[in-house]
Amino acid sequence: MSNESNTPTNFIRQIIEKELAEGQTKIVHTRFPPEPNGYLHIGHAKSICLNFGLAEDYNGVCNLRFDDTNPHKEDQEYIDAIQEDVRWLGFDWDDRLFYSSDYFPKLYEFAVELIKAGKAYVCDLSAEEVREYRGSLTEKGKDSPHRNRSVEENLELFEGMKEGMFEDGSRTLRAKIDMGSPNINMRDPALYRIRHGVVHHQTGDAWCIYPMYDFTHPISDALEGINYSLCTLEFEDHRPFYDWIIDNISVSCHPRQIEFSRLNLEYTVVSKRKLTQLVDEKVVNGWDDPRMPTLAGLRRRGVSPASIKEFSRRIGVTKVDGTIEMGALESCIREDLDRSAQRRMAVLNPLKVVITNYPEEQLEAISAPNHPKNESMGARPINFGRELYIDRDDFRESANKKFKRLVLDKEVRLRNSYVIRCDEVIKDEAGEIIELRCSYDPETLGANPEGRKVKGVIHWVSAKEGVKAELRLYDRLFNHPTPDADKEKHFLEHVNEASLTVIENAVVEPLVATEEAGKSFQFEREGYYCVDKDSTVGKPVFNRVVTLRDSWAKIENSN
RNA sequence: UGGGGAAUCGUCUAGCGGCAGGACUGCGGACUCUGACUCCGCCAACCAAGGUUCGAAUCCUUGUUCCCCAGCCA
């Protein structure tokens, strides 16, 4: 970004800097550990920027690791999409792409080690029984009747689990810690469960037992030599178990888990489960629907990686459970696009204008700068002619001085072109305005008129050359700032029915109609737009990335 | 009613015993061939009550409010 500054400090950077200075830490080694069960979203971007950003800033490394211990929910599609998204953000894991499933054999050995040390046991309780034995938030649990099996029996049973001798759900391997712990995560948590008949995307049918996250994560971190294992707040009370595992197996590395608050963004949801629901229930058109806060959606919407990184930088990293205003993201998007997007003109709601004193067949090439503040971005030709389109919102038959646009019997500047005066309004039988008769001042191309000041400037497209285009106007997906925090209503009830408005008959400059998907432009006075992948030669389609700030709307609405 | 966390402008965030600062938003103005951008200015906060101290957002005590946890999910 143009004004990008250094990453502000935060409590994690302070910990790292202290440990680096004191020598406990030699090389910062982090990891980003998504489960491949959905697409990455803006909340993941925060974590990606944190983990990869820390590695970059302290000359360390960051691994990409798929936390794939639950094959039931996972899929290769997500593995591919996640890698694409992380790369798109601009981060690189070199040869450090790992899968938790890489460690299945080692994990098994560590489980055996725990059993031999009398610190894990095979439990025959059903899921419901385990729940009963676990106690509650306020009551202690009670020991499983299988808690004191001999090491030999546990070894034999665990081996049997691995060999497929037992049915799903009939047994688990559990850590032997303390059923009376006030921390429920320490009440003999499950280490392994039995899952027959699922094909793991990496290991196929090699295993019928799968390790739990709480067991897998600390070990994966330790095996990879991670020293800062950053995760979100809800794992805070799993940390004692994380440390317990590391302390009770033979690994030399003891990664440190540090928790930070997950991102909440107003007027959207940032939860894989809920995003999946939006896709499955066809509230949106897929994971890359431009209304989605997924990286795929943001990318299709026209949001750049630079904007997302800057957003991530601005929101910071703390343990405060807060919600970011959408305006904060939009500000980053506008800042980036203002600098990088070429300017074009598009008329959303066309009103025909005939320049009565302009020759019938004449077309006049005008050079229009691509960026008002950056000459190196060049200029493009646009054609002025006798018939043009302007936006209906830019004309009024009568208006006060505040309305700096075209008014009957008044003048206005056509952007990059001449000053015109509206002489006559043509209406149909219903009284609707269908055409404006105007005259142009030939002396005003690139020059201000003599003796009078023309304040307003409006955009336009020549009728002869303009190309019909579809514009997709996106608005917030929900009409409640925290749709999933409402205890009265289900979040889907807060979906904004008007989150997509399709403008079928906009008219754009011919030059922008053939741009490739993904390119962003500013349609002057309207907003930033991005060529959608649905675009075809005959029918260009644009997504509105974000509107321009609109102080006129504020003035108008206040009246 | 157990355990783990968090409380600073509207929002996000800095502060680490010595002038409460920044960003976003909002408001006012300047500039303008984009009612954009840019520039200038303004509004706006330490959860509460005690205590320690020359001095407290910061340390101590007691409260209050909010978030998370009872998956063989992550």
Side-chain angles (χ1 to χ4, degrees):
Chain A
M1 312 239 51
S2 52
N3 72 340
E4 194 168 359
S5 49
N6 292 332
T7 306
T9 191
N10 59 53
F11 77 103
I12 295 176
R13 297 178 78 96
Q14 288 172 354
I15 290 169
I16 292 176
E17 279 166 24
K18 180 169 177 282
E19 297 185 353
L20 239 20
E22 291 172 354
Q24 291 129 271
T25 301
K26 304 281 183 276
I27 292 170
V28 172
H29 199 160
T30 55
R31 102 269 92 116
F32 173 61
E35 185 189 11
N37 66 344
Y39 279 64
L40 259 26
H41 52 66
I42 183 91
H44 293 109
K46 174 181 179 179
S47 174
I48 294 166
C49 291
L50 209 215
N51 281 293
F52 280 94
L54 249 17
E56 267 177 18
D57 292 350
Y58 295 107
N59 290 312
V61 283
C62 179
N63 298 356
L64 175 62
R65 179 169 76 228
F66 288 105
D67 213 337
D68 57 348
T69 56
N70 186 6
H72 192 70
K73 291 179 167 181
E74 298 158 8
D75 197 281
Q76 185 65 37
E77 176 196 354
Y78 302 123
I79 292 177
D80 298 338
I82 287 168
Q83 293 186 66
E84 183 188 354
D85 287 344
V86 177
R87 262 195 217 103
W88 175 71
L89 271 182
F91 295 107
D92 184 22
W93 51 91
D94 295 315
D95 57 350
R96 296 180 313 280
L97 171 64
F98 300 113
Y99 294 82
S100 295
S101 55
D102 294 343
Y103 313 128
F104 281 175
K106 284 177 180 162
L107 258 359
Y108 183 84
E109 289 308 315
F110 284 123
V112 168
E113 183 184 351
L114 286 175
I115 293 171
K116 286 180 177 164
K119 289 169 181 165
Y121 63 97
V122 172
C123 179
D124 304 354
L125 257 24
S126 68
E128 301 86 276
E129 289 167 327
V130 168
R131 197 180 312 129
E132 286 162 24
Y133 276 76
R134 187 157 36 226
S136 73
L137 292 178
T138 51
E139 295 161 317
K140 293 183 172 186
K142 56 183 189 226
D143 287 359
S144 162
H146 315 108
R147 198 172 199 263
N148 292 314
R149 288 218 249 237
S150 69
V151 169
E152 292 68 32
E153 191 184 359
N154 280 319
L155 249 16
E156 194 175 314
L157 286 169
F158 186 48
E159 166 122 34
M161 283 170 63
K162 186 181 79 149
E163 295 306 322
M165 291 168 60
F166 310 119
E167 285 174 17
D168 282 15
S170 62
R171 287 186 161 87
T172 53
L173 182 72
R174 294 225 259 162
K176 190 193 278 191
I177 309 179
D178 178 10
M179 290 304 291
S181 172
N183 181 349
I184 287 182
N185 298 294
M186 298 298 268
R187 318 237 262 234
D188 290 9
L191 267 23
Y192 270 91
R193 74 280 215 185
I194 302 170
R195 288 283 179 275
H196 287 285
V198 274
V199 177
H200 190 283
H201 46 94
Q202 300 303 311
T203 61
D205 60 357
W207 296 84
C208 66
I209 55 171
Y210 289 95
M212 302 291 292
Y213 164 87
D214 278 330
F215 178 63
T216 309
H217 209 85
I219 296 176
S220 304
D221 283 342
L223 291 174
E224 292 177 19
I226 303 299
N227 38 26
Y228 300 103
S229 180
L230 312 179
C231 64
T232 44
L233 253 26
E234 67 270 25
F235 292 102
E236 225 154 7
D237 43 12
H238 293 231
R239 183 164 14 100
F241 183 66
Y242 184 104
D243 292 331
W244 184 92
I245 286 290
I246 299 290
D247 289 340
N248 285 286
I249 61 169
S250 308
V251 286
S252 50
C253 172
H254 193 144
R256 170 159 177 199
Q257 175 177 304
I258 303 172
E259 309 85 11
F260 63 94
S261 52
R262 68 181 329 135
L263 168 68
N264 295 302
L265 232 203
E266 282 189 350
Y267 297 104
T268 190
V269 290
V270 193
S271 132
K272 254 195 249 177
R273 212 197 85 244
K274 294 194 178 79
L275 293 173
T276 305
Q277 209 172 331
L278 289 168
V279 173
D280 288 348
E281 299 188 14
K282 307 226 183 309
V283 176
V284 297
N285 305 312
W287 286 101
D288 70 343
D289 187 299
R291 291 166 292 185
M292 290 281 273
T294 51
L295 296 184
L298 291 163
R299 176 166 61 233
R300 185 168 175 189
R301 175 83 167 251
V303 176
S304 72
S307 306
I308 293 171
K309 284 174 160 174
E310 171 64 9
F311 174 68
S312 166
R313 191 189 72 80
R314 287 188 195 177
I315 60 175
V317 178
T318 65
K319 300 185 74 139
V320 183
D321 187 17
T323 304
I324 312 287
E325 290 175 340
M326 195 54 99
L329 210 210
E330 290 175 346
S331 165
C332 297
I333 299 171
R334 288 194 185 103
E335 182 182 282
D336 176 51
L337 257 15
D338 175 57
R339 179 183 54 77
S340 65
Q342 293 197 5
R343 310 290 127 121
R344 295 290 185 270
M345 292 195 282
V347 175
L348 302 216
N349 191 4
L351 171 61
K352 191 176 189 180
V353 169
V354 177
I355 311 293
T356 53
N357 60 341
Y358 200 85
E360 198 85 38
E361 291 303 319
Q362 187 170 324
L363 266 187
E364 179 179 349
I366 291 174
S367 174
N370 286 328
H371 196 285
K373 292 197 171 170
N374 186 351
E375 254 181 71
S376 73
M377 289 172 84
R380 86 281 184 187
I382 51 175
N383 283 296
F384 187 78
R386 184 178 161 92
E387 294 191 354
L388 319 165
Y389 292 113
I390 67 166
D391 199 288
R392 281 184 182 273
D393 286 349
D394 287 338
F395 175 76
R396 281 187 193 173
E397 290 187 80
S398 64
N400 63 23
K401 275 212 295 273
K402 275 186 180 172
F403 186 79
K404 304 194 308 187
R405 307 179 185 188
L406 186 60
V407 179
L408 180 59
D409 293 324
K410 300 264 168 52
E411 286 185 308
V412 80
R413 158 78 62 185
L414 291 180
R415 176 79 170 151
N416 298 311
S417 180
Y418 296 96
V419 169
I420 60 167
R421 172 183 295 275
C422 179
D423 305 312
E424 191 185 353
V425 177
I426 313 287
K427 296 180 182 175
D428 63 13
E429 305 82 26
E432 201 193 337
I433 300 173
I434 52 169
E435 185 181 312
L436 264 24
R437 296 284 166 119
C438 299
S439 48
Y440 86 116
D441 180 344
E443 304 303 313
T444 54
L445 183 63
N448 283 325
E450 298 279 322
R452 63 215 141 99
K453 189 106 183 143
V454 176
K455 262 216 140 177
V457 181
I458 62 173
H459 58 282
W460 57 280
V461 172
S462 82
K464 191 163 275 177
E465 301 243 320
V467 175
K468 198 171 125 178
E470 175 178 323
L471 266 46
R472 296 176 181 169
L473 276 34
Y474 296 105
D475 197 358
R476 44 181 65 141
L477 227 198
F478 293 90
N479 44 35
H480 188 286
T482 53
D484 48 1
D486 186 345
K487 290 187 174 77
E488 310 290 312
K489 280 184 170 181
H490 189 260
F491 82 100
L492 286 178
E493 292 183 61
H494 291 299
V495 165
N496 176 14
E497 299 298 335
S499 59
L500 170 60
T501 305
V502 178
I503 307 274
E504 303 272 5
N505 295 313
V507 181
V508 300
E509 289 180 33
L511 216 69
V512 79
T514 52
E515 294 284 355
E516 63 183 275
K519 279 199 86 171
S520 292
F521 297 89
Q522 184 195 103
F523 289 158
E524 289 191 288
R525 304 209 311 128
E526 289 292 353
Y528 295 98
Y529 286 76
C530 173
V531 182
D532 189 75
K533 65 178 185 184
D534 290 346
S535 226
T536 59
V537 177
K539 189 177 186 199
V541 178
F542 297 89
N543 297 317
R544 184 172 71 193
V545 190
V546 65
T547 59
L548 258 27
R549 284 179 76 237
D550 189 356
S551 52
W552 166 246
K554 284 171 196 160
I555 296 168
E556 207 177 26
N557 292 337
S558 67
N559 291 343

